[in-house]
Each structure stands twice: as structure tokens, then as C-alpha cells.
Amino acid sequence: MYDDNPTIKGLSKVIDETKQGQVFGENVLVEEIDKKKFYIESYGCAMNFADSEIVASILHKVGYTATREMEEADLILINTCSIREKAEATVRKRLRVFSKVKLKKKGSLIGVLGCMAERLKVKFLEEEKLVDLVVGPDSYRDLPNLIAGAEGGEKGVNVFLSREETYADISPMRLMSNGVNALISIMRGCDNMCSFCVVPYTRGRERSRNVYTIIAEAQDLFDKGFREVTLLGQNVDSYKWENPETKEVVSFAELLVLVANVNPLLRVRFSTSHPKDITDDVLYAIRDHHNICKYIHLPIQSGNSRILAKMNRTYDRPWYEEKVKRIYEVIPDCAISSDIITGFCSETEEEHQDTLDIIKWAKYSLCYMFFYSERPGTLAAKKYEDDVPLEVKKRRLQEVVDLHRLEGFEINAKDEGKVFEVLIEGNSKKSDDYFKGKTSQFKTVIFEKKGDYKPGDYVNVLIETSNNATLKGRIV
Ligand code: SAH
Ligand code: SF4
Ligand code: F3S
């Protein structure tokens, strides 16, 4: 699970998910047959997936319908990620495939969206001759104009980064949905300056979305049968929306409670929390609301304070440990997950040992692990030498992965014999006789079907066995 960015933030299954999830490709209305079609693939973090749903909505309004077959698309879009070199290489590879398709279908267009579009700007058009559109994350409203221009043979570029745009009024078209879980963007951009990270450059300044539109979106999803929403931002704890009329300010903890109050049957998740910003009020909101999930993604990046300072994370190891202790103190049954980077500039063998040590200490239920990939333009690229050899970065990563795997068996074994409330998400991958679902702690549970239960229902499951990745049990 390294090199690329898997799971919810994930790259690896994206193409499949995009194909599975076409909500409107299936039931094309007769009058829609003549409509123009778009095909979209998404890479990178959950925010990019949420953005693709905004793009789908914007295109739908101007008469496009979605297709899962790129060969029949008039417009092929790729929503890109720049977080690591490998992510960009994946996009380039996909562009080779799209180019072949475009050459076969006269008049079709290729558009590059997202973070890589923002990072490379007009250079993209020079490097990739068959690309027609380059559109950054804050410019999706301009897509219809840019497409019209491109149809007339004019290449279109808009990479303007806004201080206000939150797409608050756009109701996203749920492209990748199982009808149970949905993503809601609550903010955009990032004002932190982690030295390794390209996001502040590709997504611009942090801004929070109007609270009323967030609640309305959650309510609408609930009414449509969804039972879980994930509130998204690069640093959700610094969510802060000021009502322009009353000047009243809504914090993240308050927003969580407002969304939880939409309905007790709607589960609320959020990602990502920054260790420096998560407050006790957020922990109390989780503790006091059954439907706010007992799961916090709290990336540490490195277990060593000198490296953390160099990464400009603005906390050190003792501060992080205090946060973790506080979480377990307020919410004893909370699960915590993390992101780890190995081989950051000048990291020594002992400092790497500190990262292994924090993995043992923190009892992470999940870990997303990467080796450091220098990104042009970042503080680290400007200030520090990328001096840990690739094979050392990879070896350290393997050690982190192996350790976390081992720990995972132990951590999950502790759930055996306990009963968890599980939200059913669908059939298990291996057998239609089994359901898969999640606990509040974001652990996947597999269990045999029984009664009339269906996806979106809650069931109590007694955990009987486990491994490092899943729990297995039976409905009780
Ligand atoms: N906003 C989130 C992270 C977003 S990026 C946060 O602050 O935690 C997701 C993860 O990618 C990061 O947590 C980090 O572990 C990893 N990452 C970011 N830049 C990277 C780089 N240059 N090389 C390797 N991994 C990186
Ligand atoms: Fe990147 Fe740091 Fe912002 Fe996360 S908080 S997006 S790692 S700059
Ligand atoms: Fe990638 Fe951009 Fe997200 S760089 S991780 S898609 S914010």
C-alpha cells in the first residue's frame, strides 16, 4: 500500500470506482441520446473525487451526460493529483491512452483538471500536444466557456486560484456512489506550509464554505437514502465560517454538531485533522453524539521532532503524544489513523526508528505510508537536499509497512468478542451471501446476510475473527 495513494484518498481503485459508479450512464433518457457525453477519471485525495462530482454537475447543466466508455465520449476529463511524482506519472500514462482514443474520434476533446493542471499551467499544453483544456481546481465554473472555445479550435486554460470559491451553491452529481456514503466538501485550500507539500500551491488559500449549504447538502443526501457523509478539507479543524449578516462565527466543532443533528441515522465522518488544530470541543462533539464517528485521521508524518520541525508541521513528538492521549481519554473507543513519510531530507536511521516507535505507541487502526517524493516549488525543494537515497527511503517504508501490518493483527484481535453497530455498505467482494460494512471506528466488517437487511441499514455484529485489515462476525 505504498508508492501510490490508496483507499479513500486513493489512486489505485479509482478507474474501477469511476466505472462502477456511473449514476446516470445507466438510465440514459431517450432525449439524452443526442446529448454530448463526458467521461471522467479521478486521481488523488477525496477532495478531488468530490470536485469531479461538482464538475459533473456543471457539465450536466450545459447538456452533457456521463458515460463510462471513453471511446464514445466527446469530452475526456482527468482530474489529477500532484502530491507525489508517481501520481503525476500515472496521469501522463493515462493521457497516452486518451490520446489514442481522441485520434479515433474526430472532434473529441481532452481536458486536464485538478492539481497537476494548476501546478503545470500552460506548460501542460506544450508538453502534451493533444490536451485541449487545462483547468485548475477553482475554475470549474468556467468549463462550459472553455469547452466552447476548444470546440472552435482554441486551447483553453484557466488556472486562476480564488480566495472565495467554494462551489457552495452547486449540488454535486454523485458519480462514484454506492448510495450509502457521500463526500461533502466543507472548505478548500490550505494555509499550512508543510515543507514537503505541494497542496498550498495547487489549491490556494484556505476558505470555508457557507454552513447552511453544507447542512442543506447533508439533509438532501439523507432524504435520498444516504446514511453517511464525510466532511472534507485539508485541515478540517480550522473550518471557520462567518455569517456575513450576523457576523456569527461557526467553528468545526459546531459544524459537526449541526450536521449530526440532521438525523441520528446519518453518520458523520471528517478528514483530515491537523494535530495542531484539533480541539477538545471536537472531541466532546464526537463523545456526545452517537452518529459522529469515533475515528480520527491524525497524520503524524514522522515520529521524530527534528524531522517534524524541518517538515514545518508546527508540533513536536511530545505535543502529538499529548493529543493522542487526550483523544483516548475523552473517547476511549476512538480509532486513530495516520499518514507517514519515510526518508524525508536528512532523516537518519535513529530518526527513522522514532517513526517505527510512534506506530507502536499510537496504536493506529490504519496508516497511509509513503516515501518522500520531492515536489518542485515546495519549501523543502528550495531549502533542503533530497539526500536520502531512494533504496533507503524504500527500505524504511517497507519497515514501516511491515510493522504496521503486524500491529494491525494485534489491534484488530482486541475487537474479537465485542459487538459493533455496523452500517451496511453492500455485498462483500468475495461473496454475495455476505455483506460488508463499517463500524463507527471505520473498520471493515464482513458478515453473513440474514433477514431483510439491505445497504444503508444498521446492524449489530458480534466480531468472531479478524486479521490486520478486516473483522468478521455475525449479526446478533
Ligand atoms: N492535509 C493532510 C494531507 C494531505 S496530503 C494533512 O495535513 O495531513 C496526504 C498525505 O500525503 C500527507 O499526509 C503526506 O503523508 C503525504 N505527502 C504529502 N506530500 C508528500 C510528498 N512530497 N512525498 C511523500 N508523501 C507526501
Ligand atoms: Fe499539505 Fe500540510 Fe496542508 Fe496537509 S496541512 S495539505 S500536508 S500543507
Ligand atoms: Fe493530490 Fe491535490 Fe489532493 S495534490 S492529494 S489531489 S489536493
Side-chain angles (χ1 to χ4, degrees), residues 190-194 196-200 234-235 274 301 313:
C190 183
D191 279 355
N192 292 323
M193 274 288 165
C194 303
F196 52 80
C197 185
V198 77
V199 172
Q234 291 299 351
N235 181 10
H274 195 295
Q301 313 299 355
R313 287 291 286 184

Side-chain angles (χ1 to χ4, degrees), residues 216-465:
E217 192 173 326
Q219 181 70 57
D220 180 54
L221 285 163
F222 184 79
D223 295 343
K224 288 181 173 142
F226 287 84
R227 288 297 174 264
E228 184 179 287
V229 293
T230 303
L231 308 181
L232 294 178
Q234 291 299 351
N235 181 10
V236 288
D237 301 285
S238 64
Y239 176 88
K240 193 171 160 215
W241 183 74
E242 188 184 291
N243 188 323
E245 277 145 38
T246 62
K247 300 290 168 210
E248 195 189 357
V249 172
V250 180
S251 70
F252 180 59
E254 288 161 338
L255 172 71
L256 267 180
V257 172
L258 288 167
V259 179
N261 286 342
V262 163
N263 196 293
L265 288 177
L266 182 71
R267 270 189 179 175
V268 187
R269 296 191 184 280
F270 54 91
S271 185
T272 299
S273 291
H274 195 295
K276 81 172 156 58
D277 292 320
I278 189 164
T279 61
D280 272 0
D281 284 344
V282 168
L283 304 186
Y284 300 147
I286 300 172
R287 179 193 63 191
D288 298 341
H289 293 81
H290 179 71
N291 57 331
I292 304 181
C293 289
K294 294 181 170 47
Y295 170 70
I296 300 174
H297 185 53
L298 196 74
I300 186 164
Q301 313 299 355
S302 162
N304 176 271
S305 293
R306 187 186 75 89
I307 294 294
L308 286 170
K310 245 182 134 145
M311 287 177 161
N312 206 17
R313 287 291 286 184
T314 69
Y315 54 83
D316 58 10
R317 165 107 179 224
W319 167 281
Y320 185 88
E321 288 186 357
E322 282 309 311
K323 276 289 165 199
V324 170
K325 279 191 207 152
R326 183 73 186 139
I327 293 170
Y328 289 140
E329 191 176 280
V330 178
I331 319 157
D333 56 342
C334 196
I336 302 177
S337 62
S338 193
D339 292 348
I340 303 273
I341 298 176
T342 65
F344 185 64
C345 313
S346 80
E347 183 189 69
T348 66
E349 233 21 77
E350 284 97 61
E351 289 165 341
H352 163 62
Q353 290 299 324
D354 287 343
T355 297
L356 294 172
D357 185 68
I358 193 81
I359 292 177
K360 275 198 162 160
W361 181 86
K363 305 274 170 242
Y364 295 127
S365 62
L366 260 178
C367 239
Y368 302 92
M369 299 159 276
F370 317 97
F371 64 77
Y372 174 59
S373 164
E374 187 179 79
R375 307 312 295 132
T378 54
L379 289 180
K382 285 183 207 152
K383 271 170 64 182
Y384 308 127
E385 198 186 334
D386 181 13
D387 55 359
V388 178
L390 185 61
E391 61 277 13
V392 175
K393 287 179 182 172
K394 285 190 173 171
R395 194 252 304 145
R396 289 181 189 168
L397 176 59
Q398 194 57 51
E399 288 176 14
V400 165
V401 169
D402 291 345
L403 175 67
H404 178 253
R405 201 178 122 80
L406 267 181
E407 290 287 306
F409 282 103
E410 227 175 86
I411 291 166
N412 284 348
K414 292 208 176 99
D415 290 338
E416 291 174 16
K418 292 185 194 159
V419 174
F420 288 91
E421 184 184 64
V422 173
L423 173 61
I424 305 175
E425 292 180 343
N427 287 345
S428 110
K429 257 189 217 144
K430 287 191 187 140
S431 161
D432 287 354
D433 298 333
Y434 287 77
F435 274 135
K436 70 163 188 247
K438 289 228 171 52
T439 65
S440 175
Q441 288 77 5
F442 200 60
K443 291 193 185 176
T444 301
V445 186
I446 309 288
F447 52 98
E448 199 169 353
K449 290 182 181 173
K450 192 173 153 187
D452 298 329
Y453 293 117
K454 56 183 187 317
D457 288 344
Y458 291 95
V459 281
N460 286 323
V461 177
L462 170 69
I463 305 306
E464 294 173 319
T465 58

Side-chain angles (χ1 to χ4, degrees), residues 5 43-45 48 80-83 115 198-199 202-203 234:
N5 195 348
Y43 294 84
C45 64
N48 246 18
T80 62
C81 174
S82 286
I83 202 82
C115 292
V198 77
V199 172
T202 63
R203 294 247 158 196
Q234 291 299 351

Side-chain angles (χ1 to χ4, degrees), residues 58 135 138-145 165-170:
I58 290 170
V135 189
D138 287 344
S139 304
Y140 298 145
R141 286 182 204 268
D142 196 25
L143 264 169
N145 288 330
E165 181 63 274
T166 57
Y167 301 108
D169 56 315
I170 294 180

